[in-house]
Amino acid sequence: MAMVLAVTSALCSLPIDSIGDLGCSIRYVDKQQGYFLGIEKNNVIIGTARDAVKNPAHDVSQVDGPIENCSSRAFKCRTIGGYLVFVIPTGAGHSAEYTEGPRISVQRVANGGWHGSAMCSMVTSTGCSPNVDVNKLVEAYQYDVNPAGVVTSVKIQNWNDAGKLLSTYNLVLVSESGLKLN
């Protein structure tokens, strides 16, 4: 059993040379751009696979860290470093606003799942600031959660200080299991 755990953790560690190397039990991938989010237990790795970098002069950004439970009485919640926060309301309402980090608007969808839209205009050492200036976004993301409470897709958009859109990533769940919020 120890050997199996060692192999599993080695498959879910940095660096990731290609998307095919991503062996985490939970995987979200933008196959067109080689961007990934991999989760094993309460750890996450996120970034661009080395072979997907088009210009060798560009840095390959890959980071890892913990996933934390940020749930409260009002929300079921998981956060990745305070930058990506996924929430769904615990009540029976059809919409909710989350303001403890990035400002997130969550709406119930026809299939009983949820769609969240988050905005971040200032990054601090603890993640996105709850104060949002829509004219100065640094990151925005949207996510979908199925009726079972599993995140099924994430769309991330990043801007520079001049308000120019730098990148858009469309991550979809490619593993059998996903990040469960409840």
Side-chain angles (χ1 to χ4, degrees):
M1 178 129 160
M3 176 99 99
V4 172
L5 292 175
V7 171
T8 301
S9 60
L11 293 173
C12 190
S13 61
L14 297 177
I16 300 296
D17 291 321
S18 72
I19 291 298
D21 295 340
L22 185 62
C24 304
S25 60
I26 298 174
R27 297 178 305 281
Y28 297 87
V29 174
D30 179 332
K31 291 183 180 180
Q32 291 183 336
Q33 298 181 68
Y35 196 78
F36 63 86
L37 190 151
I39 300 170
E40 193 69 47
K41 296 185 182 175
N42 286 328
N43 295 308
V44 65
I45 58 176
I46 188 169
T48 303
R50 289 179 175 181
D51 69 354
V53 176
K54 306 287 188 255
N55 183 340
H58 291 159
D59 289 338
V60 178
S61 180
Q62 296 182 3
V63 296
D64 61 350
I67 293 178
E68 297 176 3
N69 184 343
C70 51
S71 296
S72 66
R73 291 177 65 171
F75 293 98
K76 296 173 184 174
C77 178
R78 298 292 181 271
T79 180
I80 298 171
Y83 301 103
L84 291 176
V85 179
F86 305 104
V87 299
I88 56 175
T90 57
H94 291 283
S95 66
E97 291 287 324
Y98 178 85
T99 58
E100 297 298 316
R103 185 168 304 268
I104 303 174
S105 173
V106 185
Q107 305 288 323
R108 174 87 63 187
V109 293
N111 73 356
W114 297 93
H115 177 78
S117 296
M119 295 183 289
C120 178
S121 57
M122 183 171 68
V123 177
T124 68
S125 61
T126 59
C128 287
S129 168
N131 302 318
V132 174
D133 177 355
V134 294
N135 296 315
K136 191 180 174 186
L137 292 176
V138 293
E139 181 177 77
Y141 60 96
Q142 299 175 9
Y143 60 93
D144 293 307
V145 178
N146 70 16
V150 175
V151 176
T152 57
S153 66
V154 183
K155 179 180 181 178
I156 303 171
Q157 299 168 314
N158 297 298
W159 284 269
N160 66 11
D161 291 339
K164 180 182 176 192
L165 182 63
L166 295 175
S167 59
T168 299
Y169 303 110
N170 293 302
L171 298 162
V172 295
L173 182 63
V174 296
S175 55
E176 289 185 23
S177 63
L179 178 62
K180 191 160 179 67
L181 301 182
N182 47 340

